[in-house]
């Protein structure tokens, strides 16, 4: 079965640079979630989109922005990168059926900020 | 506010034996869902099992089952006939009407051959 695709898998950036992470949900899934998992931490919710509209917002810094496109893929844009942004960034997708949807995670993008 | 607590940072189990991972949660919402995700060394987040709060019957998926105690807000995961491939970090997660997941801090499970 098709899974969530994230690219790139690994990314190395310098401080103050920008980064763009991409997420391609499972076919027919209409909802995308972004999570950040720091070293030794549990995943923290950043932001989600349903039908190309932002549906919920978590602890996402103002330096980050995201959107969902007409083909349902999503991009997380990160500017003015800081050392503390080094983390594993997960995208998850689901098919919204009220409150019964289950989120399936992609393999993650490991971002290292030097 | 939602909280998820996993009080066992690490657990170990002998291969072929049974182990139970604990999770407690708190939410003021009546409609919610509980999940166990597994994160092996590859760091992939893999869904293990899910439980709807309105269902009294405990969920089961092959060797994995849960003990859902709604009044006590407890949601433990039992792994039977443990295998080497079960070694991973296990996260308990709660989803309410807001739809995003709240995770516990995880339990690292070691399987001893």
């Amino acid at each position: 079965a098709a899974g969530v695709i994230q690219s790139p898998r690994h990314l190395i950036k310098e401080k103050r640079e920008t980064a763009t992470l991409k997420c391609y949900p499972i076919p027919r899934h209409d909802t995308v979630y972004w999570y950040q998992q720091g070293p030794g931490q549990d995943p923290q919710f950043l932001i989600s989109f349903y039908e190309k509209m932002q549906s919920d917002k978590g602890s996402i810094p103002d330096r980050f922005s995201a959107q969902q496109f007409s083909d349902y893929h999503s991009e997380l844009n990160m500017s003015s990168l800081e050392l503390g942004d080094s983390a594993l960034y997960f995208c998850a997708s689901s098919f919204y059926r009220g409150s019964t949807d289950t989120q399936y995670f992609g393999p993650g993008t490991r971002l290292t900020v030097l | 506010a939602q909280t998820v607590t996993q009080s066992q940072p690490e657990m170990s189990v002998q291969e072929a034996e049974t182990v139970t991972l604990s999770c407690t949660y708190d939410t003021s919402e009546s409609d919610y869902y509980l999940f166990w995700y597994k994160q092996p060394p590859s760091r992939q987040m893999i869904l293990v099992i899910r439980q709807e709060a309105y269902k009294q019957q405990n969920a089961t998926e092959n060797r994995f089952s849960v003990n859902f105690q709604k009044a006590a807000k407890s949601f433990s995961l039992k792994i039977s006939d443990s295998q080497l491939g079960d070694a991973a970090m296990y996260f308990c997660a709660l989803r309410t009407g807001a739809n995003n997941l709240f995770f516990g801090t995880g339990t690292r499970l070691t399987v001893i051959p």
Side-chain angles (χ1 to χ4, degrees):
Chain A
V4 177
I5 297 172
Q6 291 187 247
S7 68
R9 294 293 307 277
H10 302 274
L11 191 58
I12 300 175
K13 290 288 185 179
E14 299 279 342
K15 279 172 52 178
R16 292 180 288 277
E17 285 191 324
T18 62
T20 298
L21 279 53
K22 296 184 179 182
C23 169
Y24 298 86
I26 293 172
R28 292 187 296 281
H29 280 193
D30 51 17
T31 307
V32 168
Y33 306 81
W34 286 96
Y35 293 86
Q36 177 192 57
Q37 186 179 28
Q41 305 292 315
D42 55 286
Q44 296 292 317
F45 170 69
L46 294 177
I47 196 167
S48 62
F49 293 88
Y50 167 64
E51 284 290 345
K52 293 149 280 185
M53 299 289 289
Q54 180 181 310
S55 56
D56 198 11
K57 195 172 182 179
S59 51
I60 184 169
D62 292 340
R63 299 177 289 108
F64 295 6
S65 64
Q67 58 181 323
Q68 186 179 31
F69 294 85
S70 58
D71 64 350
Y72 294 100
H73 94 272
S74 178
E75 295 184 3
L76 177 66
N77 298 294
M78 310 160 72
S79 63
S80 302
L81 287 169
E82 302 174 356
L83 296 178
D85 296 329
S86 295
L88 187 58
Y89 290 84
F90 285 109
C91 171
S93 76
S94 69
F95 176 61
Y96 183 74
R97 291 171 291 185
S99 53
T100 60
D101 59 304
T102 295
Q103 295 177 30
Y104 296 91
F105 283 74
T109 293
R110 182 176 298 281
L111 173 66
T112 302
V113 182
L114 302 176
Chain B
Q2 281 67 232
T3 60
V4 179
T5 303
Q6 294 179 249
S7 58
Q8 307 155 316
E10 296 183 353
M11 292 282 285
S12 62
V13 62
Q14 204 77 34
E15 195 175 3
E17 296 295 308
T18 296
V19 65
T20 298
L21 309 184
S22 301
C23 172
T24 58
Y25 63 92
D26 194 20
T27 178
S28 58
E29 302 200 25
S30 58
D31 184 21
Y32 57 89
Y33 297 80
L34 294 158
F35 304 83
W36 280 96
Y37 281 90
K38 165 185 175 181
Q39 189 174 42
S42 67
R43 305 298 301 279
Q44 172 83 48
M45 290 290 284
I46 302 167
L47 176 68
V48 175
I49 199 166
R50 59 172 276 162
Q51 174 80 43
E52 293 87 343
Y54 63 83
K55 287 188 177 179
Q56 293 185 337
Q57 186 173 5
N58 290 323
T60 298
E61 287 288 341
N62 300 314
R63 298 181 295 106
F64 299 87
S65 62
V66 299
N67 183 6
F68 176 45
Q69 301 290 326
K70 191 172 183 178
K73 294 185 176 177
S74 170
F75 182 62
S76 60
L77 174 70
K78 186 172 82 170
I79 306 174
S80 305
D81 185 26
S82 296
Q83 301 175 359
L84 295 178
D86 295 333
M89 181 73 87
Y90 286 81
F91 289 99
C92 177
L94 166 70
R95 185 171 71 74
T96 64
N99 292 322
N100 57 280
L101 292 167
F102 294 91
F103 288 88
T105 51
T107 296
R108 182 173 302 282
L109 179 66
T110 301
V111 181
I112 303 166

